[in-house]
Protein backbone atom coordinates (compact mmCIF):
# COMPACT_ATOMS: atom_id res chain seq x y z
CA UNK A 1 0.00 0.00 0.00
CA UNK A 2 1.29 3.46 -0.89
CA UNK A 3 0.96 6.40 1.50
CA UNK A 4 -2.36 6.28 3.32
CA UNK A 5 -4.49 9.21 2.14
CA UNK A 6 -5.97 11.85 4.42
CA UNK A 7 -7.85 13.78 1.74
CA UNK A 8 -10.34 13.17 -1.08
CA UNK A 9 -12.08 10.56 1.08
CA UNK A 10 -15.57 9.17 0.58
CA UNK A 11 -16.55 7.86 4.01
CA UNK A 12 -18.54 4.82 2.96
CA UNK A 13 -21.86 4.52 4.78
CA UNK A 14 -22.70 1.14 6.31
CA UNK A 15 -26.22 -0.21 6.74
CA UNK A 16 -25.32 -2.02 9.98
CA UNK A 17 -23.56 1.04 11.38
CA UNK A 18 -26.55 3.25 10.54
CA UNK A 19 -29.19 0.89 11.94
CA UNK A 20 -27.39 -0.75 14.87
CA UNK A 21 -24.58 1.50 16.11
CA UNK A 22 -24.83 4.98 14.52
CA UNK A 23 -22.31 6.19 17.09
CA UNK A 24 -19.61 4.51 15.01
CA UNK A 25 -20.26 6.95 12.17
CA UNK A 26 -20.55 10.02 14.40
CA UNK A 27 -17.41 8.95 16.28
CA UNK A 28 -15.52 8.52 13.01
CA UNK A 29 -16.57 11.97 11.84
CA UNK A 30 -15.62 13.42 15.24
CA UNK A 31 -12.11 11.93 14.99
CA UNK A 32 -11.65 12.91 11.35
CA UNK A 33 -12.66 16.48 12.15
CA UNK A 34 -10.19 16.57 15.04
CA UNK A 35 -7.44 15.37 12.68
CA UNK A 36 -8.42 17.73 9.83
CA UNK A 37 -9.02 14.80 7.48
CA UNK A 38 -10.76 15.77 4.24
CA UNK A 39 -13.82 13.56 3.78
CA UNK A 40 -17.43 13.59 2.69
CA UNK A 41 -20.46 11.36 3.15
CA UNK A 42 -22.62 11.21 0.03
CA UNK A 43 -26.18 9.97 0.49
CA UNK A 44 -26.34 8.92 -3.17
CA UNK A 45 -24.00 6.08 -2.22
CA UNK A 46 -25.87 2.79 -2.06
CA UNK A 47 -25.38 -0.26 0.17
CA UNK A 48 -22.46 -2.57 -0.65
CA UNK A 49 -24.94 -5.55 -0.60
CA UNK A 50 -22.69 -7.37 1.90
CA UNK A 51 -25.38 -8.91 4.10
CA UNK A 52 -27.33 -10.07 1.07
CA UNK A 53 -24.26 -11.15 -0.89
CA UNK A 54 -22.83 -13.33 1.87
CA UNK A 55 -26.29 -14.78 2.49
CA UNK A 56 -26.56 -15.78 -1.20
CA UNK A 57 -29.31 -13.26 -1.96
CA UNK A 58 -27.19 -11.02 -4.23
CA UNK A 59 -25.01 -12.76 -6.79
CA UNK A 60 -21.51 -11.52 -7.59
CA UNK A 61 -22.60 -9.75 -10.78
CA UNK A 62 -25.27 -7.66 -9.01
CA UNK A 63 -22.87 -6.83 -6.20
CA UNK A 64 -20.14 -5.80 -8.63
CA UNK A 65 -22.57 -3.68 -10.64
CA UNK A 66 -23.62 -1.78 -7.50
CA UNK A 67 -19.99 -1.34 -6.51
CA UNK A 68 -19.19 0.07 -9.96
CA UNK A 69 -21.96 2.64 -9.51
CA UNK A 70 -20.52 3.66 -6.13
CA UNK A 71 -17.02 3.85 -7.59
CA UNK A 72 -18.26 6.12 -10.37
CA UNK A 73 -19.94 8.32 -7.76
CA UNK A 74 -16.69 8.59 -5.81
CA UNK A 75 -14.81 9.56 -8.95
CA UNK A 76 -17.50 12.08 -9.98
CA UNK A 77 -17.25 13.99 -6.68
CA UNK A 78 -13.43 13.70 -6.67
CA UNK A 79 -13.42 11.53 -3.54
CA UNK A 80 -11.98 8.34 -4.96
CA UNK A 81 -10.38 7.19 -1.69
CA UNK A 82 -13.17 5.00 -0.33
CA UNK A 83 -12.87 4.44 3.43
CA UNK A 84 -15.16 1.85 5.01
CA UNK A 85 -16.38 1.77 8.62
CA UNK A 86 -17.41 -1.87 8.17
CA UNK A 87 -15.08 -4.77 7.36
CA UNK A 88 -17.70 -6.30 5.07
CA UNK A 89 -18.04 -3.09 3.06
CA UNK A 90 -14.25 -3.10 2.85
CA UNK A 91 -14.09 -6.70 1.61
CA UNK A 92 -16.97 -6.32 -0.85
CA UNK A 93 -15.45 -3.21 -2.42
CA UNK A 94 -11.98 -4.75 -2.59
CA UNK A 95 -13.26 -7.84 -4.40
CA UNK A 96 -15.55 -5.88 -6.72
CA UNK A 97 -12.79 -3.50 -7.76
CA UNK A 98 -10.50 -6.43 -8.53
CA UNK A 99 -13.19 -7.99 -10.73
CA UNK A 100 -13.96 -4.72 -12.52
CA UNK A 101 -10.29 -4.05 -13.23
CA UNK A 102 -9.40 -7.58 -14.33
CA UNK A 103 -12.51 -9.03 -16.01
CA UNK A 104 -13.00 -7.21 -19.31
CA UNK A 105 -16.13 -9.14 -20.31
CA UNK A 106 -17.94 -8.51 -17.04
CA UNK A 107 -16.94 -4.84 -17.07
CA UNK A 108 -18.29 -4.49 -20.61
CA UNK A 109 -21.56 -6.14 -19.57
CA UNK A 110 -21.93 -3.75 -16.64
CA UNK A 111 -21.14 -0.77 -18.85
CA UNK A 112 -23.87 -1.81 -21.27
CA UNK A 113 -26.35 -1.59 -18.41
CA UNK A 114 -24.90 1.78 -17.35
CA UNK A 115 -25.24 3.10 -20.89
CA UNK A 116 -28.90 2.05 -21.02
CA UNK A 117 -29.49 3.90 -17.73
CA UNK A 118 -27.57 7.00 -18.79
CA UNK A 119 -24.73 6.38 -16.33
CA UNK A 120 -21.05 6.94 -17.07
CA UNK A 121 -19.09 3.81 -17.94
CA UNK A 122 -16.69 2.37 -15.40
CA UNK A 123 -13.15 2.70 -16.76
CA UNK A 124 -10.59 0.06 -15.96
CA UNK A 125 -8.35 0.94 -12.99
CA UNK A 126 -10.23 4.16 -12.23
CA UNK A 127 -10.36 2.84 -8.65
CA UNK A 128 -7.14 1.20 -7.49
CA UNK A 129 -7.93 -1.85 -5.38
CA UNK A 130 -4.95 -1.47 -3.07
CA UNK A 131 -4.57 2.29 -2.71
CA UNK A 132 -8.11 3.67 -3.04
CA UNK A 133 -10.10 1.25 -0.86
CA UNK A 134 -9.29 1.36 2.83
CA UNK A 135 -10.76 0.69 6.25
CA UNK A 136 -11.01 3.40 8.93
CA UNK A 137 -8.39 1.51 10.96
CA UNK A 138 -5.83 2.23 8.22
CA UNK A 139 -6.37 5.95 8.75
CA UNK A 140 -6.32 5.64 12.55
CA UNK A 141 -3.09 3.66 12.50
CA UNK A 142 -1.45 6.18 10.21
CA UNK A 143 -2.57 9.06 12.46
CA UNK A 144 -1.93 7.34 15.80
CA UNK A 145 0.77 9.78 16.91
CA UNK A 146 -1.51 12.75 16.23
CA UNK A 147 -4.32 11.03 18.14
CA UNK A 148 -2.00 10.39 21.10
CA UNK A 149 -1.46 14.14 21.58
CA UNK A 150 -5.18 14.74 22.10
CA UNK A 151 -5.97 12.08 24.73
CA UNK A 152 -8.01 13.34 27.70
CA UNK A 153 -8.63 10.15 29.69
CA UNK A 154 -6.32 7.97 31.75
CA UNK A 155 -7.02 4.32 30.97
CA UNK A 156 -4.52 2.75 33.34
CA UNK A 157 -7.24 0.85 35.22
CA UNK A 158 -8.96 -0.49 32.09
CA UNK A 159 -8.22 -3.96 30.67
CA UNK A 160 -8.59 -4.12 26.88
CA UNK A 161 -8.59 -6.90 24.28
CA UNK A 162 -9.08 -6.65 20.52
CA UNK A 163 -11.10 -8.50 17.90
CA UNK A 164 -9.85 -8.17 14.31
CA UNK A 165 -12.57 -8.65 11.71
CA UNK A 166 -12.08 -11.60 9.38
CA UNK A 167 -13.26 -9.58 6.37
CA UNK A 168 -10.36 -7.22 6.94
CA UNK A 169 -7.66 -9.73 7.88
CA UNK A 170 -8.55 -12.77 5.78
CA UNK A 171 -10.12 -11.62 2.51
CA UNK A 172 -7.56 -9.28 0.92
CA UNK A 173 -4.67 -9.87 3.29
CA UNK A 174 -2.03 -9.18 0.63
CA UNK A 175 -2.56 -5.43 0.95
CA UNK A 176 -3.56 -4.86 4.56
CA UNK A 177 -1.33 -3.15 7.10
CA UNK A 178 -1.24 -6.15 9.40
CA UNK A 179 -0.94 -9.91 9.16
CA UNK A 180 -3.71 -12.45 9.58
CA UNK A 181 -1.95 -15.00 11.80
CA UNK A 182 -1.62 -12.77 14.85
CA UNK A 183 -3.30 -9.47 13.99
CA UNK A 184 -2.15 -6.59 16.19
CA UNK A 185 -3.24 -3.50 14.25
CA UNK A 186 -5.96 -2.58 16.75
CA UNK A 187 -3.57 -3.37 19.62
CA UNK A 188 -1.04 -0.90 18.23
CA UNK A 189 -3.67 1.82 17.80
CA UNK A 190 -4.78 1.30 21.42
CA UNK A 191 -1.16 1.25 22.57
CA UNK A 192 -0.57 4.66 21.01
CA UNK A 193 -3.37 5.96 23.27
CA UNK A 194 -1.34 5.15 26.36
CA UNK A 195 -2.37 1.64 27.34
CA UNK A 196 -1.29 -1.87 26.41
CA UNK A 197 -3.91 -4.42 25.44
CA UNK A 198 -3.70 -7.95 26.83
CA UNK A 199 -2.26 -8.97 23.44
CA UNK A 200 -2.69 -12.63 22.56
CA UNK A 201 -5.46 -14.61 24.24
CA UNK A 202 -7.23 -17.88 23.56
CA UNK A 203 -9.69 -17.47 20.66
CA UNK A 204 -8.14 -14.17 19.50
CA UNK A 205 -8.13 -15.35 15.90
CA UNK A 206 -11.61 -16.87 16.09
CA UNK A 207 -14.43 -15.24 14.19
CA UNK A 208 -17.33 -13.61 16.01
CA UNK A 209 -19.56 -16.53 15.04
CA UNK A 210 -22.15 -14.47 13.14
CA UNK A 211 -21.55 -16.01 9.72
CA UNK A 212 -24.27 -13.72 8.30
CA UNK A 213 -27.23 -16.06 7.79
CA UNK A 214 -25.66 -18.64 10.12
CA UNK A 215 -26.80 -16.71 13.19
CA UNK A 216 -30.36 -17.40 12.01
CA UNK A 217 -30.29 -20.79 10.29
CA UNK A 218 -27.64 -22.39 12.54
CA UNK A 219 -28.07 -20.33 15.68
CA UNK A 220 -26.67 -22.92 18.10
CA UNK A 221 -23.50 -23.37 16.08
CA UNK A 222 -23.14 -19.61 15.60
CA UNK A 223 -23.48 -18.83 19.30
CA UNK A 224 -21.16 -21.69 20.26
CA UNK A 225 -18.33 -19.80 18.54
CA UNK A 226 -19.39 -16.52 20.16
CA UNK A 227 -19.61 -18.19 23.56
CA UNK A 228 -16.04 -19.54 23.40
CA UNK A 229 -14.65 -16.10 22.75
CA UNK A 230 -16.71 -14.41 25.45
CA UNK A 231 -15.59 -17.02 27.99
CA UNK A 232 -11.95 -16.51 27.00
CA UNK A 233 -12.39 -12.77 27.59
CA UNK A 234 -14.10 -13.42 30.91
CA UNK A 235 -11.19 -15.59 32.02
CA UNK A 236 -8.91 -12.60 31.41
CA UNK A 237 -11.27 -10.15 33.20
CA UNK A 238 -11.38 -7.97 30.09
CA UNK A 239 -13.25 -4.67 30.47
CA UNK A 240 -13.48 -3.74 26.77
CA UNK A 241 -13.34 -5.74 23.57
CA UNK A 242 -12.40 -3.38 20.74
CA UNK A 243 -14.07 -4.06 17.39
CA UNK A 244 -13.67 -2.85 13.80
CA UNK A 245 -16.83 -4.28 12.22
CA UNK A 246 -20.47 -3.64 13.22
CA UNK A 247 -21.47 -7.22 12.44
CA UNK A 248 -18.93 -8.59 14.94
CA UNK A 249 -19.91 -5.86 17.37
CA UNK A 250 -23.58 -6.79 17.08
CA UNK A 251 -22.90 -10.51 17.53
CA UNK A 252 -21.10 -9.99 20.83
CA UNK A 253 -23.03 -7.05 22.26
CA UNK A 254 -26.54 -8.26 21.40
CA UNK A 255 -26.04 -11.92 22.29
CA UNK A 256 -23.85 -11.63 25.38
CA UNK A 257 -26.85 -11.34 27.77
CA UNK A 258 -28.43 -14.41 26.11
CA UNK A 259 -25.23 -16.44 26.53
CA UNK A 260 -24.73 -15.15 30.07
CA UNK A 261 -28.22 -16.26 31.05
CA UNK A 262 -27.83 -19.63 29.34
CA UNK A 263 -24.56 -20.38 31.17
CA UNK A 264 -25.62 -18.69 34.40
CA UNK A 265 -22.34 -16.76 34.34
CA UNK A 266 -21.86 -13.01 34.64
CA UNK A 267 -20.06 -11.88 31.48
CA UNK A 268 -18.65 -8.42 32.16
CA UNK A 269 -16.98 -7.37 28.90
CA UNK A 270 -18.40 -4.34 27.10
CA UNK A 271 -18.02 -3.79 23.38
CA UNK A 272 -16.82 -0.68 21.54
CA UNK A 273 -15.82 0.00 17.99
CA UNK A 274 -12.29 1.39 17.75
CA UNK A 275 -13.69 4.76 16.63
CA UNK A 276 -16.06 4.92 19.61
CA UNK A 277 -13.19 4.08 21.95
CA UNK A 278 -10.94 6.80 20.52
CA UNK A 279 -13.75 9.37 20.42
CA UNK A 280 -14.45 8.69 24.10
CA UNK A 281 -10.87 9.19 25.20
CA UNK A 282 -10.64 12.33 23.06
CA UNK A 283 -13.50 13.76 25.08
CA UNK A 284 -16.55 13.11 22.89
CA UNK A 285 -20.01 13.14 24.46
CA UNK A 286 -20.87 9.49 25.25
CA UNK A 287 -24.48 9.87 24.11
CA UNK A 288 -24.48 12.55 21.40
CA UNK A 289 -21.31 11.35 19.62
CA UNK A 290 -20.40 7.84 20.79
CA UNK A 291 -24.02 6.67 20.95
CA UNK A 292 -23.65 4.36 23.94
CA UNK A 293 -27.44 4.33 24.39
CA UNK A 294 -27.71 2.02 21.36
CA UNK A 295 -25.65 -0.71 23.05
CA UNK A 296 -27.16 -3.73 24.74
CA UNK A 297 -24.37 -4.01 27.33
CA UNK A 298 -24.41 -0.76 29.38
CA UNK A 299 -21.28 1.37 28.85
CA UNK A 300 -21.88 3.71 31.81
CA UNK A 301 -20.01 1.57 34.40
CA UNK A 302 -16.98 1.56 32.11
CA UNK A 303 -17.04 5.34 31.70
CA UNK A 304 -17.12 5.70 35.48
CA UNK A 305 -13.84 3.75 35.63
CA UNK A 306 -12.16 6.12 33.22
CA UNK A 307 -10.35 8.97 34.95
CA UNK A 308 -10.60 12.54 33.69
CA UNK A 309 -7.54 14.60 32.79
CA UNK A 310 -6.53 15.15 36.43
CA UNK A 311 -3.68 12.77 35.67
CA UNK A 312 -2.83 14.22 32.24
CA UNK A 313 0.92 14.07 32.90
CA UNK A 314 0.54 10.40 33.78
CA UNK A 315 -1.34 9.84 30.51
CA UNK A 316 1.34 11.61 28.50
CA UNK A 317 4.09 9.51 30.13
CA UNK A 318 2.23 6.33 29.17
CA UNK A 319 1.75 7.55 25.60
CA UNK A 320 5.40 8.47 25.19
CA UNK A 321 6.50 5.07 26.48
CA UNK A 322 4.02 3.19 24.29
CA UNK A 323 5.09 5.01 21.12
CA UNK A 324 8.62 3.76 21.63
CA UNK A 325 7.29 0.19 21.45
CA UNK A 326 5.18 0.49 18.27
CA UNK A 327 6.50 -2.19 15.96
CA UNK A 328 4.47 -2.16 12.73
Amino acid sequence: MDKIPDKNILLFKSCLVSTEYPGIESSTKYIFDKLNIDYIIDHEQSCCTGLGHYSDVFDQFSTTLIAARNFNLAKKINKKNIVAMCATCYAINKKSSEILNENDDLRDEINEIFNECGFDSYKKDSINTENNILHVVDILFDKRKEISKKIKLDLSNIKIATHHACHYCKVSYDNILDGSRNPILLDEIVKSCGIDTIGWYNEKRSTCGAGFRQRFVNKDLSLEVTEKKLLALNDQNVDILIHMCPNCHMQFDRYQPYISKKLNIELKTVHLNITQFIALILGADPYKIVGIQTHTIPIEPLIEKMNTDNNKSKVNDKIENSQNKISI
Side-chain angles (χ1 to χ4, degrees):
M1 183 182 293
D2 293 342
K3 185 179 183 299
I4 295 173
D6 60 6
K7 60 181 63 175
N8 298 328
I9 289 172
L10 174 65
L11 186 58
F12 197 86
K13 287 183 71 67
S14 156
C15 59
L16 276 182
V17 166
S18 297
T19 57
E20 295 288 343
Y21 301 102
I24 295 173
E25 181 178 314
S26 50
S27 294
T28 302
K29 294 191 289 186
Y30 178 87
I31 297 166
F32 279 14
D33 290 341
K34 289 276 188 184
L35 299 175
N36 295 315
I37 291 173
D38 169 43
Y39 72 95
I40 193 172
I41 288 179
D42 195 309
H43 296 292
E44 290 190 23
Q45 173 227 308
S46 56
C47 173
C48 75
T49 81
L51 289 175
H53 178 71
Y54 288 114
S55 297
D56 292 335
V57 175
F58 284 86
D59 62 16
Q60 185 62 61
F61 180 82
S62 301
T63 290
T64 306
L65 184 146
I66 290 171
R69 178 194 172 276
N70 285 328
F71 296 161
N72 278 351
L73 171 65
K75 185 180 177 184
K76 180 180 179 181
I77 61 176
N78 195 30
K79 302 290 182 183
K80 63 187 295 183
N81 295 313
I82 298 169
V83 177
M85 293 176 281
C86 169
T88 298
C89 295
Y90 171 87
I92 285 282
N93 285 324
K94 283 275 190 185
K95 184 175 181 180
S96 296
S97 65
E98 288 176 356
I99 293 171
L100 284 163
N101 292 335
E102 296 173 5
N103 190 323
D104 295 341
D105 291 338
L106 185 140
R107 186 174 64 254
D108 289 343
E109 189 175 352
I110 285 175
N111 283 334
E112 285 181 15
I113 296 172
F114 281 2
N115 292 336
E116 291 175 5
C117 298
F119 294 168
D120 292 336
S121 296
Y122 177 86
K123 295 181 180 176
K124 182 178 181 178
D125 296 323
S126 61
I127 295 293
N128 182 282
T129 302
E130 181 175 352
N131 296 321
N132 294 136
I133 299 176
L134 304 98
H135 191 287
V136 166
V137 296
D138 298 324
I139 307 286
L140 298 179
F141 180 79
D142 188 57
K143 298 292 184 181
R144 65 196 183 281
K145 290 184 179 180
E146 293 179 42
I147 292 171
S148 71
K149 297 173 184 176
K150 303 177 185 295
I151 302 301
K152 294 186 177 181
L153 295 179
D154 175 14
L155 304 177
S156 58
N157 60 340
I158 304 294
K159 201 167 186 181
I160 298 175
T162 61
H163 173 74
H164 291 76
C166 57
H167 278 186
Y168 178 82
C169 296
K170 300 175 183 178
V171 174
S172 297
Y173 53 81
D174 287 341
N175 52 59
I176 61 173
L177 291 178
D178 196 6
S180 59
R181 291 185 178 275
N182 179 20
I184 58 171
L185 186 65
L186 291 175
D187 300 81
E188 294 291 345
I189 295 171
V190 172
K191 186 187 295 184
S192 72
C193 297
I195 182 172
D196 285 330
T197 67
I198 67 170
W200 180 263
Y201 61 95
N202 288 340
E203 308 296 335
K204 182 177 183 180
R205 290 185 67 243
S206 299
T207 71
C208 65
F212 296 92
R213 69 168 180 248
Q214 298 304 319
R215 67 156 60 106
F216 305 112
V217 299
N218 290 311
K219 184 176 179 179
D220 290 344
L221 178 61
S222 170
L223 293 185
E224 182 180 336
V225 176
T226 311
E227 177 185 308
K228 285 181 179 179
K229 192 145 194 169
L230 288 174
L231 289 174
L233 296 168
N234 219 47
D235 288 344
Q236 296 277 349
N237 295 312
V238 169
D239 293 302
I240 312 174
L241 184 64
I242 299 290
H243 299 270
M244 57 184 290
C245 180
N247 201 30
C248 302
H249 192 160
M250 184 169 67
Q251 182 74 2
F252 288 108
D253 180 54
R254 302 296 190 221
Y255 285 100
Q256 183 169 307
Y258 174 89
I259 293 171
S260 182
K261 182 178 180 180
K262 170 192 166 189
L263 300 177
N264 195 27
I265 294 174
E266 184 181 6
L267 299 172
K268 301 177 182 179
T269 304
V270 303
H271 303 276
L272 286 172
N273 184 273
I274 182 63
T275 59
Q276 293 177 299
F277 170 75
I278 290 178
L280 264 180
I281 62 178
L282 291 183
D285 187 287
Y287 297 97
K288 294 179 180 178
I289 302 297
V290 182
I292 65 171
Q293 66 273 25
T294 66
H295 291 229
T296 298
I297 308 299
I299 310 296
E300 285 83 355
L302 171 71
I303 293 176
E304 290 175 5
K305 288 185 69 174
M306 294 181 176
N307 297 323
T308 58
D309 55 1
N310 294 332
N311 297 323
K312 189 64 183 289
S313 60
K314 182 180 178 183
V315 176
N316 288 337
D317 288 342
K318 285 178 172 291
I319 290 169
E320 184 176 351
N321 291 334
S322 67
Q323 285 177 347
N324 293 332
K325 302 181 203 173
I326 292 176
S327 57
I328 290 182

